[in-house]
Amino acid sequence: TKHAKVYCFGIFEHLKLNEEDKTMEAIWEIMQWSLQALFDGGWPGRDHRGRRYDDVAPRSAEARRADKPLANGLFGVLWSIKGDLEHYAKAFRLTHYSPAQPCCLCPAGIGVDNTMRYTNVRSYALWKKKTYSAEEWHEQQAHKHPIFRLPNLSVLNIEVDELRTMHLGTTGRMLGNTVWLLCYEVLT
């Protein structure tokens, strides 16, 4: 329905063979093909490899449904992808959060220019005015993940999981450091 979040698939890490096997690449190719059909609002006339159903399996259910409206003319949109920063780096080949330019949303980094440092959150921080548009981001992606081939999807649809980023991530480390500081430096 239009009010539901749908879990599409999951896979345990130990079931992936290795990077050369391209297990996840194959799965994401199929997911992208399926989500593209959902976005287009019609049953696909081709399989995920681009072969026409009329040629491959002319009597199949897929061939009979090919190019017909899906869900009475309605369509669906993948609106956001939720996860933590490590998941985005590993699963979607987005910028890893630890190098000199950790942000995939803007050109912030750890360079000499203080106005472009990602740690500078002041109102005059220049990086805040240089956030990428969806078009700019797509132009920069040399090895784009298959899911980002969807026409409406870019890094702007990424939703950071607050639990892992804040409570189990930054906030947890800050609180741990505060307790350590109190126990070993202040109260000794």
Side-chain angles (χ1 to χ4, degrees), residues 16-57:
K16 296 186 226 173
L17 298 178
N18 54 44
E19 285 298 317
E20 293 79 37
D21 174 57
K22 306 271 187 210
T23 302
M24 293 309 297
E25 188 78 16
I27 290 171
W28 281 111
E29 290 283 344
I30 295 169
M31 285 298 302
Q32 185 275 335
W33 165 81
S34 180
L35 290 167
Q36 181 66 54
L38 183 65
F39 183 81
D40 294 339
W43 291 97
R46 300 176 180 274
D47 68 10
H48 67 282
R49 293 186 180 123
R51 302 173 301 189
R52 290 222 34 97
Y53 286 122
D54 294 339
D55 299 335
V56 179

Side-chain angles (χ1 to χ4, degrees), residues 30 34 54 100-101 107 118 120 166:
I30 295 169
S34 180
D54 294 339
Q101 191 174 348
Y118 70 92
N120 181 355
M166 291 298 298

Side-chain angles (χ1 to χ4, degrees), residues 19-140:
E19 285 298 317
E20 293 79 37
D21 174 57
K22 306 271 187 210
T23 302
M24 293 309 297
E25 188 78 16
I27 290 171
W28 281 111
E29 290 283 344
I30 295 169
M31 285 298 302
Q32 185 275 335
W33 165 81
S34 180
L35 290 167
Q36 181 66 54
L38 183 65
F39 183 81
D40 294 339
W43 291 97
R46 300 176 180 274
D47 68 10
H48 67 282
R49 293 186 180 123
R51 302 173 301 189
R52 290 222 34 97
Y53 286 122
D54 294 339
D55 299 335
V56 179
R59 294 189 180 125
S60 67
E62 288 84 359
R64 286 192 302 274
R65 289 189 299 238
D67 302 319
K68 292 184 181 158
L70 177 68
N72 296 322
L74 298 176
F75 69 100
V77 176
L78 176 60
W79 186 255
S80 70
I81 301 172
K82 192 165 189 164
D84 62 7
L85 299 176
E86 187 168 351
H87 174 70
Y88 293 142
K90 285 182 177 179
F92 297 108
R93 300 191 291 261
L94 295 178
T95 306
H96 196 276
Y97 51 89
S98 64
Q101 191 174 348
C103 185
C104 57
L105 294 169
C106 68
I110 59 171
V112 179
D113 183 1
N114 188 42
T115 63
M116 290 299 289
R117 285 184 166 242
Y118 70 92
T119 54
N120 181 355
V121 293
R122 293 181 177 92
S123 60
Y124 65 82
L126 190 58
W127 64 264
K128 291 181 179 182
K129 295 177 182 142
K130 294 190 175 201
T131 55
Y132 301 133
S133 68
E135 294 79 20
E136 290 170 326
W137 181 79
H138 276 290
E139 288 172 9
Q140 294 178 7

